[in-house]
Amino acid sequence: MSDVETPRMPAIFFGHGSPGNVMEENRITTTWRDLGKEIGKPKGIICISAHWFIGGTGVTAMERPRTIHDFGGFPKIMYEMRYDAPGDPALADRVAERLKPIDVTLDQSWGFDHGTWCVLTKVYPEADVPIVQLSIDARKPPRFHYELGRMLAPFRDEGILIAGSGNIVHNLPEMNWRSQSGGYQWAQRFGDHIRKAIVEDEPDNIVNYAEFGRDAMLSVPTPEHYLPLLYVMGARDAADDIRFENEFVEYGSLDMTTVVVGSMSTGQ
């Protein structure tokens, strides 16, 4: 297949919020479903989820990844749900090759955690797009994750969707369960700061997010939900357009922003 015939895929950061969204049809999940219809089916997906945060870089390399129910306190039916999308061992091999000299483990035990399947079951409900998950190395600084995104960027020209799943602001202890709508001022300020850096293509401000001080400390008390954004930003091309969906905060301290980098093109 020629380059002209292969659509260039965007890179998307999904603000995933609660696993319970998988049970709902709301403004968040409607956006995800609409994005799937808009960009069509990629040849495959490389997904970086906040919930595979380990001491190393791994990529799922099995034919049939399992569905992982890594959450608690939800209705029984959620623990019976399966997202039976295929894996792609060949794509996993190519990811490992492209990330050299980084040592990438071809993983046979993980699967699709809720950061992946609770989102993608809305984007591609037929579960017919091959997916590999890439872990987040908890030992590495933010710049490392951004650079991995840059290394993965050429996959977009091959019809592969690069997807990050997390939240720009994610502070569970500070959540206000009495008020779903609206956010704390510090959450709004930090989200605005990061969105401004994205629009103005200032990757250093995105990578060095902690320099935003107390607002950053409250918004990103632990890094795992923020770091998937860096992979998507690393996969950005200078010519890519940017748009935000679900640009709001829930329960005070969950920023639900989805960031769409680029649009589907025919690879001209």
Side-chain angles (χ1 to χ4, degrees), residues 54-210:
I54 61 174
T57 301
V59 61
T60 54
M62 65 286 284
E63 293 278 357
R64 289 289 171 183
R66 64 192 176 104
T67 303
I68 303 173
H69 302 89
D70 51 336
F71 42 73
F74 289 91
K76 179 182 177 182
I77 190 172
M78 283 181 58
Y79 301 91
E80 298 170 350
M81 296 177 73
R82 299 289 182 271
Y83 189 65
D84 291 326
D88 191 336
L91 178 58
D93 285 341
R94 295 179 59 225
V95 168
E97 182 68 25
R98 189 157 292 178
L99 293 183
K100 284 183 176 179
I102 295 164
D103 185 18
V104 179
T105 300
L106 295 173
D107 180 84
Q108 297 290 332
S109 63
W110 189 242
F112 301 146
D113 60 53
H114 80 262
T116 293
W117 74 266
C118 286
V119 173
L120 293 181
T121 195
K122 298 294 187 178
V123 183
Y124 296 110
E126 299 301 318
D128 55 357
V129 178
I131 304 166
V132 300
Q133 264 201 237
L134 183 69
S135 74
I136 301 171
D137 189 340
R139 306 168 303 178
K140 300 296 186 180
R143 178 69 61 179
F144 171 87
H145 304 287
Y146 176 79
E147 293 299 332
L148 258 61
R150 292 184 64 186
M151 296 167 77
L152 294 172
F155 279 113
R156 293 177 56 197
D157 293 316
E158 302 174 25
I160 303 296
L161 173 66
I162 297 175
S165 180
N167 293 96
I168 291 175
V169 176
H170 185 271
N171 188 329
L172 296 186
E174 295 294 330
M175 286 178 66
N176 180 2
W177 291 103
R178 297 183 301 276
S179 178
Q180 181 174 3
S181 299
Y184 299 116
Q185 290 185 2
W186 51 262
Q188 190 64 52
R189 286 193 299 265
F190 182 76
D192 288 344
H193 168 69
I194 296 302
R195 283 183 289 269
K196 178 176 181 289
I198 292 171
V199 169
E200 297 183 359
D201 195 10
E202 298 172 334
D204 285 346
N205 286 343
I206 304 168
V207 171
N208 301 320
Y209 66 90

Side-chain angles (χ1 to χ4, degrees), residues 12-15 27-28 30-32 34-35 38 168 195 242-248 255-260:
I12 304 177
F13 173 76
F14 294 95
R27 56 179 172 169
I28 298 165
T30 296
T31 295
W32 296 345
D34 289 346
L35 280 171
E38 174 187 336
I168 291 175
R195 283 183 289 269
I242 294 288
R243 82 174 194 259
F244 302 123
E245 303 282 359
N246 297 333
E247 192 177 340
F248 56 84
D255 189 313
M256 298 307 299
T257 301
T258 284
V259 186
V260 183

Side-chain angles (χ1 to χ4, degrees), residues 1-12 35 38-44 98 124 149-150 152-162 231-242 260-268:
M1 184 174 287
S2 70
D3 289 342
V4 173
E5 295 170 326
T6 301
R8 183 174 192 264
M9 282 288 134
I12 304 177
L35 280 171
E38 174 187 336
I39 67 177
K41 290 180 181 177
K43 290 183 176 180
R98 189 157 292 178
Y124 296 110
R150 292 184 64 186
L152 294 172
F155 279 113
R156 293 177 56 197
D157 293 316
E158 302 174 25
I160 303 296
L161 173 66
I162 297 175
Y231 289 80
V232 172
M233 291 297 100
R236 178 182 186 176
D237 183 87
D240 282 327
D241 56 354
I242 294 288
V260 183
V261 175
S263 56
M264 195 181 77
S265 71
T266 54
Q268 296 179 357

